[in-house]
């Protein structure tokens, strides 16, 4: 049973349903590692995902997660170019993961991506260079910023794209905090 330390969760449309995702560590592996100090017993980390309506664990989850997630939450963003969100999350092992349906890594999008240090805070997704595709941005504890270009569609970047969901930090799925080009206003949508 995975348990969370200092992580937060996120909501997003994934695998055809509103989903809640959060990283955690295996309780038995934590106990084993703490009771056998110096043994090299690993702590097993997992990305967890549940159907937010039914509470059912999604098939393929919990999925293997490299490293322990600190002070972070996953985001939901398209990185493969199919217009559907993947669960993107990082941890202390230099790896940034992107999970697809079934708990599989987005290998065709060349995930996991690697940094040179601990990923702290959540990654963010956006079209930084206005080319219509998503870039994933993350920072490490060592002070480095990484930006990866993906094939993800910028038009599909409407889920939980940064820590606490939106630019207003509401932590509420469905809040639209982005300026709309057509009318220049903000619209809040309640789901």
């Amino acid at each position: 049973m995975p348990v969370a330390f200092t992580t937060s969760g996120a909501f997003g449309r994934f695998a055809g349903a509103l989903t809640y995702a959060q990283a955690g560590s295996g309780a038995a592996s934590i106990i084993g590692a703490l009771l056998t100090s110096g043994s090299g017993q690993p702590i097993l980390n997992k990305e967890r995902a549940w159907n937010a309506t039914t509470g059912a664990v999604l098939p393929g989850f919990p999925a293997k997660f490299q490293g322990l997630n600190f002070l972070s939450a996953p985001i939901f963003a398209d990185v493969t170019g199919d217009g559907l969100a993947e669960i993107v999350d990082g941890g202390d092992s230099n790896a940034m993961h992107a999970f697809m349906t079934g708990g599989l890594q987005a290998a065709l999008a060349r995930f996991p991506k690697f940094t040179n240090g601990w990923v702290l805070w959540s990654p963010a997704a956006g079209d930084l260079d206005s080319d219509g595709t998503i870039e994933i941005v993350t920072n490490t504890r060592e002070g480095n910023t990484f930006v990866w270009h993906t094939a993800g569609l910028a038009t599909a970047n409407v889920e939980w794209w940064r820590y606490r969901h939106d630019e207003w930090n509401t932590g509420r799925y469905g809040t639209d905090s982005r300026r709309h080009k057509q009318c220049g206003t903000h619209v809040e949508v309640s789901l």
Side-chain angles (χ1 to χ4, degrees):
M1 176 65 166
V3 295
F5 283 112
T6 57
T7 62
S8 298
F11 287 94
R13 193 145 305 278
F14 178 76
L18 185 60
T19 298
Y20 177 77
Q22 183 175 7
S25 301
S29 68
I30 292 171
I31 293 167
L34 294 175
L35 292 177
T36 58
S37 179
S39 70
Q41 173 83 19
I43 295 176
L44 304 175
N45 301 296
K46 306 283 185 176
E47 187 71 42
R48 303 171 295 165
W50 296 269
N51 180 302
T53 303
T54 66
V57 175
L58 296 185
F61 289 90
K64 289 184 180 181
F65 185 88
Q66 184 177 323
L68 182 62
N69 188 308
F70 281 105
L71 307 172
S72 183
I75 62 170
F76 288 80
D78 177 23
V79 298
T80 61
D82 63 1
L84 303 173
E86 281 74 43
I87 299 171
V88 182
D89 206 352
D92 70 353
S93 68
N94 307 327
M96 180 61 62
H97 297 277
F99 296 97
M100 301 185 326
T101 302
L104 302 172
Q105 285 286 331
L108 293 178
R110 298 187 176 178
F111 277 86
K113 305 284 188 186
F114 295 97
T115 68
N116 64 345
W118 289 16
V119 172
L120 284 181
W121 313 114
S122 297
D127 185 3
L128 299 180
D129 55 6
S130 299
D131 68 351
T133 60
I134 293 293
E135 280 76 45
I136 299 293
V137 181
T138 196
N139 294 303
T140 65
R141 177 185 71 162
E142 294 77 14
N144 296 305
T145 299
F146 287 83
V147 179
W148 295 287
H149 294 278
T150 75
L153 303 176
T155 55
N157 191 23
V158 296
E159 296 300 327
W160 199 287
W161 58 87
R162 63 177 298 254
Y163 183 72
R164 301 235 353 116
H165 180 268
D166 55 69
E167 288 77 7
W168 297 337
N169 291 322
T170 66
R172 289 183 53 208
Y173 183 77
T175 297
D176 183 356
S177 63
R178 295 178 170 170
R179 183 168 288 282
H180 296 273
K181 291 179 183 177
Q182 296 86 351
C183 60
T185 63
H186 296 283
V187 178
E188 183 168 321
V189 178
S190 296
L191 297 178

